[in-house]
Amino acid sequence: MRAFLDSLAVLSFLGTVLLLFAFASLLGMVRELQGKLLRAQAAAPAAPAVRSVPRFGSDDGLPTYVLVVSEHCPNCRERARRLADTAGPDQPWHAVVLGSADRCAEWVAGSQVLPVIDSALVGTVAVGATPSLVRYSPDGTEEWRRVVGSDEDLDTFLTVSPAERSNA
């Protein structure tokens, strides 16, 4: 009886190990698909402009990236800080953080990111989830919008190179 129980324990252990390998393989496939989806979203042609916000236009011909955040969202705080680290005069775009609470402006204080605290404007931009990045053309017309789940997503949408990513 003891040998039978030992054999059963060994078989159950081997089954568990096989299940872990299968799970790791599935997880790898899911991550690969997520990466491909992210690259496809970043490379997708711009959808027809639906909204226009003249406030986000620029006179110098550069686009404006608007990160729409919520004050109670820890992910929003992290993405705003990453945007503040990345933005600068050497970038070929302008950066704005749009929120409805003064706390959101504190996340980018002292950086090249312009904080805009305006509840009505947040409602006008009307993103479905925060944090979301919206790209506006120099005339203030929306070109696209994306939900930003990680710093890597943000860097990809801003087309930040890996070298710049490691320096920020």
Side-chain angles (χ1 to χ4, degrees), residues 29-78:
M29 286 189 253
V30 167
R31 288 186 177 155
E32 181 181 341
L33 288 172
Q34 286 175 332
K36 287 181 179 180
L37 177 62
L38 180 63
R39 287 188 295 276
Q41 284 179 334
V50 189
R51 295 178 180 89
S52 181
V53 181
R55 184 173 185 173
F56 297 138
S58 64
D59 295 333
D60 57 6
L62 297 176
T64 301
Y65 287 100
V66 177
L67 184 65
V68 184
V69 296
S70 170
E71 90 176 280
H72 300 292
C73 168
N75 197 17
C76 295
R77 182 181 60 246
E78 292 171 16

Side-chain angles (χ1 to χ4, degrees), residues 1-60:
M1 182 69 170
R2 174 82 177 155
F4 174 74
L5 289 177
D6 288 343
S7 298
L8 191 59
V10 168
L11 287 175
S12 64
F13 175 75
L14 290 174
T16 303
V17 169
L18 286 174
L19 285 174
L20 286 173
F21 280 121
F23 179 73
S25 175
L26 285 173
L27 186 60
M29 286 189 253
V30 167
R31 288 186 177 155
E32 181 181 341
L33 288 172
Q34 286 175 332
K36 287 181 179 180
L37 177 62
L38 180 63
R39 287 188 295 276
Q41 284 179 334
V50 189
R51 295 178 180 89
S52 181
V53 181
R55 184 173 185 173
F56 297 138
S58 64
D59 295 333
D60 57 6

Side-chain angles (χ1 to χ4, degrees), residues 62-140:
L62 297 176
T64 301
Y65 287 100
V66 177
L67 184 65
V68 184
V69 296
S70 170
E71 90 176 280
H72 300 292
C73 168
N75 197 17
C76 295
R77 182 181 60 246
E78 292 171 16
R79 299 302 82 79
R81 288 181 177 156
R82 175 65 187 154
L83 182 63
D85 290 342
T86 307
D90 57 332
Q91 296 292 352
W93 40 265
H94 301 284
V96 174
V97 165
L98 174 61
S100 58
D102 290 332
R103 180 178 177 193
C104 301
E106 295 170 8
W107 299 339
V108 295
S111 72
Q112 296 288 323
V113 178
L114 173 68
V116 175
I117 307 304
D118 188 337
S119 298
L121 189 55
V122 170
T124 301
V125 173
V127 297
T130 57
S132 287
L133 187 68
V134 185
R135 179 183 163 122
Y136 289 92
S137 65
D139 66 354

